[in-house]
Amino acid sequence: MNILRKVRVGQLRSTTAAASKWFSDLAKSQWKARAEGKDKGNRKVTMINGEGVGPEVMCAVRQVLDAAKAPIDWEIFEECKSPDNENVPAPILESLGRNKVGIKGPVSSRQWQRHIRKAFEQFAYVSIIKSLKGVDTPFGEFDVVMVRDQMEGDYSGIEHKVVPGVMQTIKVSTTAGAQRIAKFVFDYAIQNKRSKVSVAHKANIMRMTDGNFLDAVHEEANKHAGKVLFEEHYLDTVITNLLMKPCQNDVVVSSSMYGDVMRVVMGAMMGAPGITPGYSVSVLGHVFECRTKVYCELVGKDQVNPTGSLLSAALMLRHLKLYDLADLVECGVRSVFTDTDIRTKDLGGSASCSEFVEAVCDQIKSRMS
């Protein structure tokens, strides 16, 4: 117990649908008002450029949202790390605390990720995994929401050396934490008119930790019986169903590591790694990102695929209640895949990042005219 307490204290110290709707007269008048500067209700958003190709994809986000006349005032941070360590600099934390909404490029440091999660109590990460029409994959059409814990489970970050040659990671599952994410996922399903919630677990092996998580989800499911279907499966069964019958899945919830694995698998099913949009959830504010790699080898080559970051920006607009603009941006991105052959290299094409962004902007402008 003393070892566990010391580890926890040490870590705490180190981490302080329809197109017609879009083209209605009302929507056009709103876009026109923004273009003429009559809409003064700008929202402040923190933008963290990140590392590697991060500045390029964040520049793409600004270009596309500018084309859509989104009423955003950016607070842009080019440096994501503190000068003497890998923590999140105080100015970034202060900005996120003020604005309650942020969007970021990739950051490689685990310590950085852990710091921002703990500082803002980002207890869940939501991935919107929806097939891209026009991208040829063997999985057909699917629309799955993946919700995973970020604070507990195998990713609690508590590990230590027991004796030389023996290391230990401590998997944590608290009743309060499990109940919080269970409540969130069912609230999400109801608010977004989702019909089913599935929980992935290994409570047959980890009876206490996964069992606690499973009990909390069962308890919440009972509160919504008749409104949301509920099912539970072992992790391996859920992954098999995702690969074999992706269209039969709706909202999937799990603890941290299981959900991270499923997020990556399902993201690749969209056609390329790192193009799945998503966001971290906190009562203190949401941070939107697609969890892509830093891809240092692509820096300056104009080859990165900005799809995930652009779709994350659409999620951010929806969170800001800019629903018409969110639909406009998402439609612009998806229309490039359905109406053109413009593809970046990772999707088998030859287009540059800037060419893809220009195509998205053209799609948006054509719908605003």
Side-chain angles (χ1 to χ4, degrees), residues 11-12 14-16 87-90 92-94 96-97 111-123 151 282-285:
Q11 290 185 328
L12 286 172
S14 67
T15 59
T16 18
N87 285 345
V88 185
I92 291 181
L93 296 176
E94 292 166 1
L96 287 171
Q111 169 63 23
W112 194 97
Q113 301 285 3
R114 187 178 298 118
H115 188 192
I116 197 168
R117 286 175 191 171
K118 289 184 179 292
F120 282 90
E121 298 181 27
Q122 295 175 338
F123 66 91
M151 300 292 289
S282 167
V283 295
L284 303 176

Side-chain angles (χ1 to χ4, degrees), residues 98-330:
R98 285 193 310 272
N99 298 332
K100 311 299 182 188
V101 178
I103 189 167
K104 62 176 285 292
V107 178
S108 60
S109 169
R110 300 280 184 181
Q111 169 63 23
W112 194 97
Q113 301 285 3
R114 187 178 298 118
H115 188 192
I116 197 168
R117 286 175 191 171
K118 289 184 179 292
F120 282 90
E121 298 181 27
Q122 295 175 338
F123 66 91
Y125 182 78
V126 180
S127 299
I128 310 299
I129 307 166
K130 186 175 181 179
S131 54
L132 293 165
K133 291 183 180 179
V135 176
D136 187 23
T137 75
F139 302 102
E141 293 188 18
F142 52 87
D143 183 0
V144 181
V145 176
M146 187 76 62
V147 181
R148 74 174 183 89
D149 182 271
Q150 287 201 132
M151 300 292 289
E152 298 186 352
D154 298 280
Y155 284 7
S156 60
I158 302 174
E159 57 182 4
H160 62 274
K161 182 184 293 185
V162 180
V163 295
V166 179
M167 274 61 69
Q168 183 180 53
T169 291
I170 299 174
K171 180 170 181 171
V172 174
S173 179
T174 68
T175 299
Q179 289 175 341
R180 176 171 60 177
I181 199 162
K183 183 179 187 307
F184 170 80
V185 75
F186 278 93
D187 286 348
Y188 179 96
I190 290 172
Q191 291 167 8
N192 291 274
K193 296 179 173 57
R194 293 279 181 164
S195 61
K196 183 174 68 173
V197 170
S198 305
V199 60
H201 67 91
K202 292 295 288 185
N204 57 322
I205 305 297
M206 286 161 279
R207 297 178 183 275
M208 295 185 69
T209 51
D210 278 24
N212 181 64
F213 188 90
L214 182 60
D215 287 345
V217 180
H218 265 290
E219 182 181 346
E220 193 66 28
N222 290 337
K223 298 176 184 178
H224 301 281
K227 298 178 182 177
V228 180
L229 296 175
F230 171 68
E231 60 183 29
E232 60 153 292
H233 295 291
Y234 295 145
L235 173 65
D236 40 349
T237 301
V238 173
I239 292 178
T240 300
N241 289 340
L242 288 171
L243 290 169
M244 301 295 291
K245 304 173 183 178
C247 64
Q248 294 183 13
N249 296 273
D250 198 347
V251 179
V252 180
V253 61
S254 76
S255 61
S256 54
M257 186 173 69
Y258 306 159
D260 204 17
V261 171
M262 289 187 287
R263 174 190 65 83
V264 174
V265 170
M266 287 294 289
M269 289 168 62
M270 290 178 65
I275 61 173
T276 305
Y279 57 95
S280 291
V281 179
S282 167
V283 295
L284 303 176
H286 289 14
V287 177
F288 294 80
E289 56 175 322
C290 66
R291 294 287 167 88
T292 187
K293 295 181 180 179
V294 297
Y295 292 117
C296 291
E297 68 276 13
L298 298 181
V299 173
K301 296 182 180 179
D302 197 21
Q303 292 181 355
V304 65
N305 186 342
T307 299
S309 293
L310 296 180
L311 292 176
S312 294
L315 294 176
M316 183 188 74
L317 292 173
R318 193 162 285 115
H319 176 71
L320 291 169
K321 302 189 187 305
L322 298 170
Y323 301 113
D324 58 322
L325 290 177
D327 290 341
L328 180 66
V329 170
E330 182 174 358

